[in-house]
Amino acid sequence: MVVVTRIRREVLTLPAAELGPDNPLPPLRPLDEVHRVDDRDREDIPRDMARGLGYAPLRSLLPVRLRDGYGRTREPRALDVLVIENDRLRATVLPGLGGRVASLLHLPTGRELLYRNPVFQPADFALNGAWYSGGIEWNIGATGHTTLSCAPLHAARVPAPDGGEMLRLWEWERLRDVPFQVDLWLPDGSDFLYVGVRVRNPHEHPVPTYWWSNIAVPEEVRVLAPAEEAWRFGYERRLRRVPVPSYDGIDRTYPLNSPYAADYFYDVPDGRRRWIAALDAAGRGLVQTSTDVLRGRKLFVWGSGTGGRRWQRWLTEPGTGGYCEIQAGLARTQLEHVRLDAESEVSWLEAYGPLDSPPAGEWSGAVRRAEEKLESVLPRARVEEAYARWRAHADTEPGEILATGSGWGALEVLRTGRKLPGTPFPECTLGQAQEPWRELLRTGGLPAPRGPEPGGETLVAPHWRDLLESAPATWHAEYHLGIAQWHAGDRAQAVRSWERALPLAPARWPLLRALAVADQDDGHHERAADRYADAFTDLCAAGRPEDADRDADPDVDRAADRTAARAALGRETLEALLRVGRPTEARAVWERLPPDVRRRGRFRLLEAELLLAEGRRAEARAVFEAGFEIADLREGSQVLDRVWARLTDEPLPARYDFRMRPDPA
């Protein structure tokens, strides 16, 4: 008996860390992104790839905020999930956490086809911070893990091409200002999960586009793809063409054979079917294939070295096995962006399912056998046909709403009056974050915040900047205008806007902090330190008795907001003061931080740096010996190495070893 595909709500309980509050400081600093190519390699890169590498790389996170309020204390927490199931597969989706497919279970064999993380532990891998490992994630926006990694998406039931149901996920991606949708369905009796993806550009100008579907699988596999060469990119930022499967005498298609973390972007020849598979020693595993628009295929390995093993334990539960990632993207590498023309769209179909084929032995034979088996269980023509049928349903309006994302898409629809068939952004999804901007649209003025600090998030796209420029020049409007000007590269005008607002603002610290960042950008580090110190003093004075009535506001947790602001500004202030050799003032800032903030790992490391600046080397070392964990340690960061090297010539202790590349020669 064929079981009709069904979608249902469930609750998944697992050990999970809290996400905590977002960083309230607008991210004015340059993007801290590790995926940059060393200029030495650009001459050897094909011309079309070089164009993609140079096309509109992301320079700023604005208007998105940093998500760095999470910790590493995990407690059982309930997560809402959506389950899609037929008689062959069960897919578990997390709509509140980027729409990730957390599990893909093959029911006849009981095999989990993905790496299913037994915990939810955020770490600093997304473009805006919080990210977690495992499952299938949908990366849109720019090079790196999407800012929506830990964000809610809209979700609804939609009629599927075969007459059943499919699950639609959609949201407005804010870095590039584009809407996208992901449709998942299981044809009756199918061993493959079908995924239709569409990215739309509703604007009258082209936009840079990026997409990579990122699939975590157990690392004790061999990864097969139809390629004889790959582009290798490591954390030393070198992009080089290497042979597949082996170079330097090592078969790199076995993830544990590589000592350090690296990306291998397979150079799949034009006309060849697009697919990638991860198969264990018994020949069982997962295959992903797609229509040809999704051109790229990639293997990411953590490597067998100390740093890679440490990251594996950091992201999951020690003792539960490691993982690698197989991926599929719009470009040949993740370092490229592609052009999406004005008022156009790009779409494709992906399929995920089990594959049984022996992976060992000579490369071309193993690839040929896997490709033949894939063709027998899921012919290439069937994928093309499924894509054509899905396109006829891509505009179908959703039925029952299963989850709600952000209100940013609704704000853009309200601004432009555009209709986006299939992905509605109704006005009812507008929330507190969008309300000031809705009022700006309605009245031409940005309403004053409830308290003395600037209210809410800021918008920086040209149309919003134009509205801010014509709005009444209140301190609040000038503050947000300056951020939009800064994002546009008009740094001098941004400074003038902030300086105009400074004497009018009831709280000076947000403007002083913005001006301090501008000073650092211009190389005026002493003046930046002065402004940071003044900003922190002003913030600390903000908890006055007359603010008590605002603390009672049921809509806003002012105490939590102040703690988040004091932690974020305190960190930047300490770093600015230590940079210019002013430890006495840095110590005064340290003493004014809340005790719970000082106990965080990031601030324990800052304490060690402060003690070093004060000449108290033994006490600085004692901080390391007592032990700490930096919850938001950035992917590829070498800060622990650098501080430890200032303390001693001894090897870095294993608990602090997150190194993702060999030491420079």
Side-chain angles (χ1 to χ4, degrees), residues 342-360:
E343 298 178 329
S344 69
E345 62 183 50
V346 61
S347 62
W348 61 91
L349 184 83
E350 304 180 46
Y352 297 81
L355 188 71
D356 292 343
S357 181

Side-chain angles (χ1 to χ4, degrees), residues 72 306-315 599 601 604-605 621-631 633 637 640-641 644 651-659:
R72 290 190 56 79
T306 304
R309 297 299 91 194
R310 183 73 178 107
W311 272 117
Q312 293 268 26
R313 294 191 299 273
W314 188 257
L315 294 168
R599 287 191 291 268
R604 294 286 285 154
L605 180 64
R621 174 152 186 166
V623 172
F624 276 82
E625 292 172 346
F628 58 87
E629 292 183 328
I630 302 177
L633 185 68
S637 172
L640 286 164
D641 315 46
W644 179 258
L652 183 68
R655 68 180 300 175
Y656 301 117
D657 189 351
F658 293 87
R659 288 173 288 191

Side-chain angles (χ1 to χ4, degrees), residues 85-325:
E85 185 174 3
N86 65 3
D87 59 335
R88 309 292 295 176
L89 285 175
R90 180 187 300 147
T92 302
V93 180
L94 300 172
L97 294 169
R100 187 170 307 203
V101 180
S103 169
L104 187 61
L105 185 67
H106 188 238
L107 297 173
T109 62
R111 283 159 42 194
E112 174 59 63
L113 301 180
L114 305 173
Y115 171 75
R116 181 172 184 169
N117 198 332
V119 303
F120 171 68
Q121 178 55 65
D124 193 1
F125 278 73
L127 287 165
N128 62 332
W131 172 87
Y132 62 105
S133 63
I136 306 171
E137 61 174 316
W138 319 111
N139 287 302
I140 182 173
T143 296
H145 292 280
T146 177
T147 61
L148 297 166
S149 292
C150 292
L153 303 189
H154 300 280
R157 298 180 195 269
V158 182
D162 60 358
E165 289 185 327
M166 65 182 174
L167 173 64
R168 175 164 298 163
L169 306 167
W170 73 98
E171 188 44 285
W172 193 279
E173 199 285 314
R174 300 178 67 202
L175 293 178
R176 302 303 195 183
D177 242 358
V178 294
F180 70 96
Q181 72 187 73
V182 179
D183 289 352
L184 305 97
W185 79 100
L186 291 166
D188 288 341
S190 174
D191 279 314
F192 284 84
L193 172 68
Y194 286 0
V195 182
V197 182
R198 174 167 64 169
V199 181
R200 287 190 274 200
N201 175 13
H203 305 292
E204 297 176 351
H205 56 80
V207 296
T209 309
Y210 173 95
W211 184 280
W212 281 80
S213 301
N214 185 6
I215 310 135
V217 293
E219 66 183 349
E220 294 183 354
V221 294
R222 191 184 197 191
V223 173
L224 303 179
E228 301 294 329
E229 293 183 310
W231 291 91
R232 181 192 183 278
F233 182 77
Y235 284 81
E236 66 275 16
R237 302 189 178 185
R238 303 300 305 275
L239 182 66
R240 301 170 180 171
R241 193 195 298 267
V242 299
V244 174
S246 300
Y247 82 94
D248 287 346
I250 300 172
D251 188 335
R252 309 287 174 156
T253 61
Y254 290 92
L256 287 171
N257 282 357
S258 293
Y260 292 98
D263 300 325
Y264 295 90
F265 299 103
Y266 295 114
D267 202 351
V268 180
D270 291 342
R272 193 78 181 265
R273 184 175 185 178
R274 306 307 196 196
W275 63 273
I276 189 167
L279 304 173
D280 64 19
R284 295 189 296 266
L286 172 83
V287 64
Q288 186 272 0
T289 187
S290 72
T291 49
D292 290 351
V293 166
L294 205 62
R295 176 184 185 183
R297 292 299 185 275
K298 169 193 159 182
L299 164 64
F300 167 76
V301 300
W302 283 108
S304 58
T306 304
R309 297 299 91 194
R310 183 73 178 107
W311 272 117
Q312 293 268 26
R313 294 191 299 273
W314 188 257
L315 294 168
T316 183
E317 188 69 24
T320 57
Y323 74 95
C324 63
E325 295 169 358

Side-chain angles (χ1 to χ4, degrees), residues 66 123 327 410 419 461 491 512 557 615 625:
L66 286 168
Q327 304 185 22
K419 301 296 183 184
R491 304 300 172 87
L512 288 169
D557 186 348
E625 292 172 346

